[in-house]
CSV table of all heavy atoms in Angstrom, one decimal:
chain,number,residue,atom,x,y,z
I,9,PRO,N,36.2,155.2,97.0
I,9,PRO,CA,35.7,156.5,96.5
I,9,PRO,C,36.6,157.7,96.7
I,9,PRO,O,36.8,158.5,95.8
I,9,PRO,CB,34.3,156.7,97.2
I,9,PRO,CG,33.9,155.3,97.7
I,9,PRO,CD,35.2,154.6,98.0
I,17,ILE,N,41.1,164.6,90.7
I,17,ILE,CA,41.5,166.0,90.9
I,17,ILE,C,42.9,166.2,90.6
I,17,ILE,O,43.5,167.2,90.2
I,17,ILE,CB,41.1,166.6,92.3
I,17,ILE,CG1,41.1,168.1,92.2
I,17,ILE,CG2,41.9,166.0,93.4
I,17,ILE,CD1,40.1,168.8,91.3
I,32,ALA,N,49.9,163.4,99.2
I,32,ALA,CA,49.7,162.3,100.2
I,32,ALA,C,49.8,162.7,101.7
I,32,ALA,O,49.0,162.3,102.5
I,32,ALA,CB,50.8,161.2,99.9
I,42,VAL,N,39.8,164.0,111.6
I,42,VAL,CA,38.6,163.3,112.1
I,42,VAL,C,38.6,163.1,113.6
I,42,VAL,O,37.5,163.3,114.2
I,42,VAL,CB,38.5,161.9,111.4
I,42,VAL,CG1,37.3,161.1,112.1
I,42,VAL,CG2,38.3,162.0,109.9
I,56,ALA,N,22.0,170.0,125.0
I,56,ALA,CA,20.7,169.8,124.7
I,56,ALA,C,20.2,170.5,123.4
I,56,ALA,O,19.5,170.1,122.6
I,56,ALA,CB,19.7,170.0,125.8
I,137,ALA,N,27.9,161.5,100.5
I,137,ALA,CA,28.8,162.1,101.5
I,137,ALA,C,30.2,162.4,100.9
I,137,ALA,O,30.8,163.4,101.2
I,137,ALA,CB,28.9,161.3,102.8
I,144,PHE,N,32.9,170.4,98.8
I,144,PHE,CA,33.3,171.3,99.8
I,144,PHE,C,34.8,171.8,99.7
I,144,PHE,O,35.1,173.0,99.9
I,144,PHE,CB,33.0,170.8,101.3
I,144,PHE,CG,31.7,170.2,101.5
I,144,PHE,CD1,31.5,169.2,102.5
I,144,PHE,CD2,30.6,170.8,100.8
I,144,PHE,CE1,30.2,168.8,102.7
I,144,PHE,CE2,29.3,170.3,101.1
I,144,PHE,CZ,29.1,169.2,102.1
I,178,THR,N,21.8,169.7,106.5
I,178,THR,CA,20.4,170.0,106.9
I,178,THR,C,19.4,169.0,106.3
I,178,THR,O,18.5,168.4,107.0
I,178,THR,CB,20.0,171.4,106.5
I,178,THR,OG1,20.8,172.4,107.2
I,178,THR,CG2,18.6,171.7,106.8
I,203,LEU,N,32.0,172.5,89.1
I,203,LEU,CA,32.5,172.5,87.7
I,203,LEU,C,32.8,173.9,87.2
I,203,LEU,O,33.9,174.1,86.5
I,203,LEU,CB,31.5,171.8,86.8
I,203,LEU,CG,31.3,170.3,87.0
I,203,LEU,CD1,30.1,169.8,86.2
I,203,LEU,CD2,32.6,169.5,86.6
Side-chain angles (χ1 to χ4, degrees):
I17 197 64
V42 173
F144 304 152
T178 296
L203 290 174

